[in-house]
Amino acid sequence: MLSIRQRLTLWYTAVLMVMLIAFATVIFFGGAWQLQRSTDQELLQTALLLTPPLQRGEDPLAVDTSYRVLTLDGQVIRNAGLPVRRVPVEPAALAAARQGRTHRATIRAAPLAAAIEERQPGLAAAVRVITVPLGNGPVYILQVGKAETDVIRLRGLLLTTLLIALAVGLPIAALGGWWLAGRVLNPMRAMTAAAQQIEAHDLAERLPVPPHNDELGQLATTFNGLLDRLQAAFQRERRFIADVSHDLRTPLALMKSTIGVALNRPRSAGELQATLGELDGQINRVSSLLEATLFLSRADADRLAQGYAPLDLSELLTDLVETTAPCAAEEHSQELTSDIAPGLYVTGDRDQLTRLFLNLLDNAMRYTPDGGTIRVGGQTSDGRVVVEVADTGAGIAVADLPHVFDRFYRGDKARTGGDRDHHGLGLAIAQAIAHAHRGEIAVRSELGKGSTFMVTLPGVVRSA
Ligand code: ADP
């Protein structure tokens, strides 16, 4: 298999060779045609000069060109010069002249005697002959001829030039092509070497980007972009595993120490029951974490959006507000209001959407001080359904805002608040559900004043 460099060089050389040959061919045929035209003109001129004296029966003086005079049936009655003597009388020429027409032809000459050939090696093998009628009638036929030496010389010259150009030019062109292809492919070699250095576990290396933003530059930039995305995905994955392990370790350690304390000495039934209750809480925490990570891994595998069907979101939200409002009022003295337009239809999964909005309501209640207000709004906008969950709570710091949807991200208060039942996965799950429904989730917040989470989902037009 030839390398790209070899193939480029071959192509380059072959194209150049074809071009050289085509160029020489055009020059040859064009030149030969031009030469023949001027020979014909010269011969005609001579024929014109010869005609008057020949018609008077005189011997023309000063004749450079070879000529002969023939009778109408082709008998040579006068001959001057070598070239016409070397060619046979062509019947076509005679016929044309008899009809009063001028006839032009290149006629193959009879071979010369070896002695003459030796003395005058340049003598052409073909003769250009012009046949013209002489006299009115006509009476005789005049043939003027000239050896086609110039055309043969031109052909020889072109052939020699072409051979020299091919013999000298082609190797130079091939070397040039080789060098050029090498230069073009150099950055590619550097990229290949750099790509070989990149290990799956360390994606920090990048390909060298050539200084010009050409095709290779774009290839390197695109490849580096791919590496950026891969590296980010790997880092996310690693952080996720580390976070899951960390969140699993804490309850497991607590369970172990609870069991250790319980086993320290004989316990009463009441004490054992209390220990089991504690263990039950820890197990709930572990299983809720596992369930959340499992849900997210299904979301990553694009397996959430299965069995989606049109559903009435207005009804779902109203039910949710009705079941949550008593708890908000009783436990936190919070007022939960709603302003949900009827007939908001989306295509989706009831359980997943309930989980999404429950997460938002749960957060709103948790991060809003007692006595605060939570409002759930729902309406359509440009064919999309927009649901807002707004609270008058603590708000989110500007530095936290871009991260609240990250997995295991917990704001300062949540982290230091020691709320162990929350792993920082609630909003990540809400976002995964919104995306699975081809929707978006966004947040607007002001510290100390409250936060508003907006979920936008594609609406479904219901025919009446
Ligand atoms: P968590 O389990 O900590 O609630 P979430 O993913 O639900 O995790 O939320 C991530 C972080 O976003 C929270 O720790 C909190 O800092 C912040 N947050 C979420 N909702 C609100 C809200 N309504 N008001 C203020 N902060 C919020």
Side-chain angles (χ1 to χ4, degrees), residues 7-17 172-174 176-178 180:
R7 270 182 284 164
L8 277 179
T9 310
L10 270 182
W11 271 105
Y12 183 72
T13 318
V15 167
L16 199 78
M17 191 164 84
I172 293 178
W178 182 256
L180 208 68

Side-chain angles (χ1 to χ4, degrees), residues 374-399:
I374 297 158
R375 189 187 67 83
V376 179
Q379 75 270 337
T380 48
S381 162
D382 289 337
R384 295 176 77 78
V385 173
V386 183
V387 180
E388 287 189 350
V389 179
D391 63 55
T392 55
I396 303 167
V398 178

Side-chain angles (χ1 to χ4, degrees), residues 22 47 109 116-117 154 226 233 240 309 327 342 434:
I116 306 178
E117 194 82 77
L154 174 75
L226 171 73
F240 185 68
C327 163

Side-chain angles (χ1 to χ4, degrees), residues 17-79:
M17 191 164 84
V18 170
M19 271 171 59
L20 270 178
I21 292 173
F23 188 62
T25 313
V26 168
I27 292 211
F28 172 70
F29 283 108
W33 180 76
Q34 197 63 39
L35 274 176
Q36 200 169 58
R37 251 171 65 105
S38 63
T39 308
D40 284 0
Q41 264 167 4
E42 193 185 321
L43 290 174
L44 267 177
Q45 206 76 35
T46 314
L48 279 177
L49 274 174
L50 286 172
T51 307
L54 284 174
Q55 275 177 336
R56 288 196 299 273
E58 297 166 5
D59 245 349
L61 300 168
V63 201
D64 277 352
T65 325
S66 117
Y67 73 93
R68 65 183 170 200
V69 180
L70 313 156
T71 59
L72 289 184
D73 56 3
Q75 293 294 316
V76 180
I77 51 171
R78 191 191 287 254
N79 236 333

Side-chain angles (χ1 to χ4, degrees), residues 120-366:
Q120 276 177 285
L123 279 180
V127 177
R128 184 73 177 165
V129 177
I130 284 208
T131 309
V132 290
L134 268 186
N136 274 340
V139 186
Y140 294 107
I141 293 168
L142 168 64
Q143 283 198 314
V144 191
K146 188 177 178 190
E148 284 210 316
T149 326
D150 289 346
V151 177
I152 290 165
R153 277 206 199 112
L154 174 75
R155 189 186 303 154
L157 183 72
L158 276 173
L159 206 67
T160 323
T161 318
L162 182 66
L163 283 179
I164 292 176
L166 288 179
V168 180
L170 276 193
I172 293 178
L175 275 179
W178 182 256
W179 175 79
L180 208 68
R183 246 182 82 94
V184 169
L185 295 174
N186 259 345
M188 212 128 109
R189 262 195 294 277
M191 278 191 244
T192 310
Q196 279 164 351
Q197 301 297 314
I198 298 172
E199 304 278 347
H201 60 268
D202 178 20
L203 292 171
E205 287 280 334
R206 289 292 174 270
L207 297 192
V209 180
H212 311 291
N213 189 26
D214 51 14
E215 288 86 340
L216 287 180
Q218 283 162 15
L219 176 70
T221 314
T222 310
F223 196 80
N224 284 345
L226 171 73
L227 285 175
D228 286 345
R229 291 194 294 278
L230 273 179
Q231 190 184 24
F234 269 110
Q235 275 169 356
R236 256 199 321 269
E237 200 85 351
R238 256 182 239 159
R239 214 173 33 234
F240 185 68
I241 292 172
D243 286 338
V244 173
S245 327
H246 177 265
D247 273 35
L248 278 177
R249 211 173 46 192
T250 317
L252 285 177
L254 274 173
M255 281 156 80
K256 196 167 166 47
S257 78
T258 310
I259 293 170
V261 170
L263 290 177
N264 230 356
R265 58 181 171 79
R267 299 279 171 186
S268 66
E271 282 175 321
L272 283 178
Q273 201 159 11
T275 305
L276 285 176
E278 225 172 285
L279 288 177
D280 188 44
Q282 299 299 342
I283 286 170
N284 281 344
R285 184 173 146 73
V286 170
S287 66
S288 86
L289 173 65
L290 286 180
E291 193 277 330
T293 40
L294 219 61
F295 187 89
L296 284 171
S297 75
R298 272 180 56 212
D300 288 345
D302 284 334
R303 281 176 37 218
L304 289 191
Q306 282 167 2
Y308 280 6
L311 60 89
D312 186 346
L313 194 66
S314 308
E315 184 198 308
L316 185 149
L317 288 170
T318 313
D319 284 354
L320 212 57
V321 170
E322 275 172 14
T323 47
T324 321
C327 163
E330 276 165 32
E331 290 182 18
H332 308 287
S333 325
Q334 290 162 342
E335 191 190 359
L336 183 51
T337 66
S338 68
D339 177 13
I340 303 159
L344 301 175
Y345 283 94
V346 296
T347 301
D349 178 89
R350 178 170 291 275
D351 291 345
Q352 288 176 18
L353 289 172
T354 305
R355 185 170 191 170
L356 190 172
F357 294 111
L358 204 57
N359 277 355
L360 297 184
L361 278 174
D362 184 46
N363 277 350
M365 279 154 54
R366 249 178 328 123

Side-chain angles (χ1 to χ4, degrees), residues 363 366-367 391 396 404 409-411 414 422-424 426-427 451 453:
N363 277 350
R366 249 178 328 123
Y367 299 110
D391 63 55
I396 303 167
V404 288
Y409 189 83
R410 276 172 284 181
H422 291 88
H423 312 281
L427 287 180
S451 318
F453 283 86

